[in-house]
Each structure stands twice: as C-alpha cells, then as structure tokens.
C-alpha cells in the first residue's frame, strides 16, 4: 500500500525551500511508514533546496537507516531534484553507516 | 545634545569595513543620536540592511534617531527602501517619491522574526526583484520541455539563496543566548551593469559562536569560522547524536556561494571582527569594527541566473555507498 505526499501543495512559486516546511512532512511520512505503507514523494512541478530534501529524506535515513529507502518512491523529479536526492541520500547513508559501524 | 555620527560616503559590501564601523558607532553607548548623512554618496542592499537593522535596534531600546544632511536623491532612495521607518528627518532635501518607476527593481527593506516567515518572504522578495526587471514578462508561455518561463528561471536561484540565508539567520543565529535575533533583507537590480545585489543581515550569535568546538575550527577566530562555514558538510548540527530533534547537513551556505559564483558573482560575509569576500580580500575588519551577528552580501549577474543548475553546484560525494533509489 502507498501513501502519497504531494510537494507542490507546499511550494511557493515552484520551490520548496525551508527545513521548517519539510519537517512536518517528514513526520507525516514517518507515520505512514510506521503503519506499513510505502511513501510516494511526488515532486511534480517543483524544485527543492538541498536543505528541504535533507530535512525530509536525510532525516528519515538518519533515524531509520538506509533500508528505509526501499520504501520511499520519488515521483516526477526534475534533473536537479533528482541530483539533490541522490546527493543527500548518499551522504546521509554514508554518515549513518559510519556512525553505526562501531 | 544628541551625539552626532557621520555616515561614510559608501555604505556597501565593497566598503564593508566602513559600513560595519559606523553601525558600531551608532549602537555604542546610550541616548539620542543625530546621523549626519551629508557625505553619503551610495548605499547598496548590504549597506541598507545594515543601516536599517541598526536603526531598528536603536528604536528597540528607545533611543531617538534623527537624520540630517541627506540630499534629495539619497533621501528618495533610502525612503523608498523604508530604511527610515520611525527615524526623524531634519534638515534634509525633499524626498523624491519615485518608487518602482526607474526599472532598478529596488525591493524595500524587510525584517523577519520567525522561521515560519521564510518560505513566503523568499518567494515574495525574489518575485518582486525579478518582477521589476526590464524586459521580463511574468505571463510569457512556459518552455514546453521544462514547464518553466524565463521569469521562473530568474526567480528560482534567488529564492533558493534567500531561503538558505534567511533560514540560517532565523535558526543558527538564534542560538547561544540570541533567541530574539531578527534578520533584515534588501535587494536591488542595477540595470546598467546587469548586477543583482542582496543584503541579508542578522543580529544573532555570529558564525563563530555557532561553530565553536567544531573539529574544523583550529582557532577560535571569526574569519576561520566563516571559512569553515563555507566548507561542505561543516555544520553546528550535523550529527544526530547531538540533537535528536533536527540535524543539518552543512551544505546550504556552500551551495548559496556557488549560485553566486556561477552567476558571475560573489559573497561577502561579515561576522564578528572578520570579513570574507569570496572574490576579494579577507581579514579582520579595519579599525576594530565589529558586527554582533552575521551580515551577508550576495552579488551576481542577471544573465547568469537562468543557466544555474543545482545539480552542478552540489559538493562532490566522496563516500563509497551508492544507495538504490526508486524514481518513478
Ligand atoms: N546567520 C548565521 N548565524 C550563525 N551561524 C551561522 C549562520 N549561517 C551559517 N551559520 C553557521 O554555519 C554553518 C553552516 O551553514 P550551512 O552551510 O547553511 O549549513 P547548515 O545550515 O546545514 O548547518 C551552520 O551550521 C552554522 O553553524
Ligand atoms: Mg543552512
């Protein structure tokens, strides 16, 4: 089962920017994940800052580990958003694994 | 008798030392101040945000501010920017009322007090700045491939930079006993040179206080802290073990600086007793000038903005791990 967060709803113009906006969305994603859902993050029509993506996706990785990524689906990302997600995910997985390796 | 402080000829990022010094003089001591503006020739958004922040901090402690000697042009300009809210003008030229009619996209000084305001303000300010650029039509049909208009392409990098800088100022700057810090922002486009300037000034704890104890910081110096903050992955708060509520990644300022540089520009960052110009001189501010907080000037070329691609600005990933990601 899937639960979806449509980011366009939270955009100003075409952009989601602050950690402040991202953090309640991360809570929402966490609740859905806890109930066993996969979570679709729908980026259609939006650009995002690295801080926004980190608060949302990086935060989930740091709390739940890299495996959480198998239950997240990134939909309709622009090339820039995709690159930011890839960067944030790799950086935070790396950090998580280093912190949990000893 | 109020004490008299004379403004220097330039209140600008290029004259950051003089600008910080005079704001320091204004804030020093107590009682009423008379600001002599007769030598003032030019102010940019950095200078305006500094002066506006200073005037407001004086008013917050109920010190009276009077300004004298302003020429008509400067009076009109500073008036349009709302720098003089609550400041009494004596013996000044008549302010020329010419808001929004010279194509120089001047966006009035804005103060923010809470992180909740940042998204809307970053959008509104970027929109207002670009909306006044000559030759830009917000209603042009979007590009079929990307769905974006030229207008969007200009707005976004500015909105991105403002979002990062303003959120920094209303989160990090409010630590270490500065919970009531605010941030002031001003912006302007200069049609003859095609340059866009932003000034973002906070009166918070400063970068050194925020990063104190960070392993990248070898010496407790303001300049070193500014340079560290610009490095990717340097943050006061990157590690979940330090803070269960929220963590930062330390890439916001790095990316903002790269936006400016890719658009042919620079950042000038002042914090404490130091100034770092990413395309010029760095060092301690002259004459023991000191800013309690962080003041940032961003300069870039309008023509460079539509070509900004954030994917090219991200720091290199040096780790081993390549997580599998599900894109649809
Ligand atoms: N306005 C500011 N006031 C105080 N400290 C700041 C300010 N801006 C940035 N910093 C410091 O610089 C660090 C790096 O900033 P940034 O690159 O935006 O990363 P992040 O916000 O993810 O930590 C921050 O963690 C903070 O310690
Ligand atoms: Mg930041």
């Amino acid at each position: 089962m899937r639960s979806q967060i449509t980011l366009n709803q939270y955009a100003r113009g075409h952009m989601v920017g602050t950690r402040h906006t991202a953090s309640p969305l991360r809570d929402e994603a966490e609740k859905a994940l806890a109930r066993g859902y996969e979570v679709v993050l729908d980026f259609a029509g939006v650009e995002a800052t690295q801080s926004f993506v980190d608060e949302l996706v990086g935060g989930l990785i740091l709390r739940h580990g890299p495996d959480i990524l198998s239950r997240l689906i990134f939909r309709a990302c622009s090339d820039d958003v995709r690159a930011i997600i890839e960067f944030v995910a790799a950086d935070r997985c790396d950090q998580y694994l280093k912190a949990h390796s000893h | 008798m109020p004490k008299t402080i004379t403004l220097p000829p330039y209140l600008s990022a290029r004259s950051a030392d003089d600008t910080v010094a005079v704001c320091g003089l204004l804030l020093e001591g107590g009682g009423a101040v008379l600001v002599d503006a007769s030598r003032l020739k030019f102010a940019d958004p950095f200078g305006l945000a500094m002066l506006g922040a200073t005037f407001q901090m004086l008013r917050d402690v109920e010190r009276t501010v009077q300004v004298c000697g302003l020429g008509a042009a400067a009076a009109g300009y500073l008036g349009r920017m709302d720098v003089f809210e609550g400041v009494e003008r004596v013996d000044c030229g008549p302010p020329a009322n010419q808001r929004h009619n010279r194509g120089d996209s001047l966006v009035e000084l804005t103060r923010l007090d809470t992180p909740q305001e940042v998204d809307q303000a970053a959008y509104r300010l970027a929109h207002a700045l670009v909306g006044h650029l000559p030759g830009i039509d917000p209603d042009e049909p979007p590009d079929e491939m990307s769905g974006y208009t030229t207008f969007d392409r200009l707005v976004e990098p500015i909105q991105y930079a403002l979002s990062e800088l303003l959120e920094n100022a209303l989160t990090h700057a409010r630590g270490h006993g500065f919970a009531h810090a605010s941030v002031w922002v001003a912006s302007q486009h200069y049609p003859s040179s095609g340059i866009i300037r932003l000034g973002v000034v906070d009166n918070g704890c400063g970068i050194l206080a925020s990063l104190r104890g960070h392993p990248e910081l070898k010496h407790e110096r303001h300049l070193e802290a500014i340079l560290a903050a610009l490095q990717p992955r340097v943050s006061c708060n990157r590690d979940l073990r330090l803070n269960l509520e929220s963590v930062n990644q330390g890439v916001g300022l790095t990316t903002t600086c790269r936006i400016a540089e890719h658009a042919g520009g620079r950042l000038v960052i002042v914090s404490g007793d130091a100034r770092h110009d990413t395309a010029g001189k760095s060092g301690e501010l002259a004459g023991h000038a000191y800013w309690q907080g962080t003041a940032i000037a961003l300069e870039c070329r309008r023509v460079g903005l539509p070509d900004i691609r954030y994917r090219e600005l991200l720091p290199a990933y040096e780790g081993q791990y390549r997580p599998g990601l599900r894109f649809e």
Side-chain angles (χ1 to χ4, degrees), chain A residues 19 50-51 54 92, chain B residues 164-165 168-174 202 204-211 225 228-238 247-256 271 293-296:
Chain A
R19 290 180 179 274
Q50 154 274 326
S51 288
D54 182 57
R92 292 307 202 177
Chain B
E164 295 287 8
L165 295 176
N168 277 351
L170 290 168
T171 55
H172 303 310
R174 297 186 134 198
D202 72 60
C205 66
I207 296 178
L208 176 60
S210 176
L211 282 177
L230 281 166
Q231 299 297 313
R233 299 184 187 78
V234 171
S235 169
C236 56
N237 182 30
R238 193 179 141 79
V247 278
N248 290 61
Q249 202 179 10
V251 182
L253 209 51
T254 319
T255 313
T256 303
S271 192
T294 303
I296 299 182

Side-chain angles (χ1 to χ4, degrees), chain A residues 16-34:
Chain A
V16 282
T18 56
R19 290 180 179 274
H20 186 267
T21 301
S23 91
L25 300 177
R26 189 196 54 232
D27 293 342
E28 190 182 325
E30 238 163 2
K31 284 195 192 113
L33 290 164

Side-chain angles (χ1 to χ4, degrees), chain B residues 89-124:
Chain B
R89 284 181 252 183
V90 292
D91 191 18
C92 294
N97 190 6
Q98 39 186 296
R99 192 184 277 264
H100 303 329
N101 63 357
R102 294 195 318 208
D104 54 3
S105 342
L106 221 145
V107 182
E108 74 281 6
L109 183 69
T110 302
R111 166 187 178 159
L112 309 183
D113 301 302
T114 60
Q116 289 87 293
E117 298 167 80
V118 170
D119 271 320
Q120 182 60 23
Y123 174 64
R124 186 183 73 77

Side-chain angles (χ1 to χ4, degrees), chain A residues 28-77:
Chain A
E28 190 182 325
E30 238 163 2
K31 284 195 192 113
L33 290 164
R35 279 190 265 119
Y37 288 89
E38 290 192 327
V39 174
V40 179
L41 299 172
D42 184 350
F43 284 89
V46 298
E47 296 298 330
T49 64
Q50 154 274 326
S51 288
F52 181 91
V53 171
D54 182 57
E55 191 68 31
L56 182 57
V57 181
L60 290 173
I61 297 170
L62 286 181
R63 283 156 206 245
H64 304 283
D67 290 346
I68 202 74
L69 288 169
S70 67
R71 298 172 57 212
L72 298 179
I73 294 120
F74 303 101
R75 178 175 290 163
C77 301

Side-chain angles (χ1 to χ4, degrees), chain B residues 223 227 275-278 280-284:
Chain B
L223 181 60
L227 295 172
R275 158 198 19 84
H276 174 56
D277 179 343
T278 60
K281 279 199 304 187
S282 298
E284 281 182 12

Side-chain angles (χ1 to χ4, degrees), chain B residues 10 20 33 41 43 61 70 81 87 103 107 117 126 151 160 185 202 206 208 247 262 274 278 289 298 316 320:
Chain B
Y10 299 96
V20 177
V33 268
K41 288 195 203 136
V61 292
L70 263 181
M81 293 294 255
V87 173
V107 182
E117 298 167 80
F151 184 79
Y160 190 119
V185 50
D202 72 60
L208 176 60
V247 278
H262 273 238
T278 60
L298 184 153
Q320 307 294 317

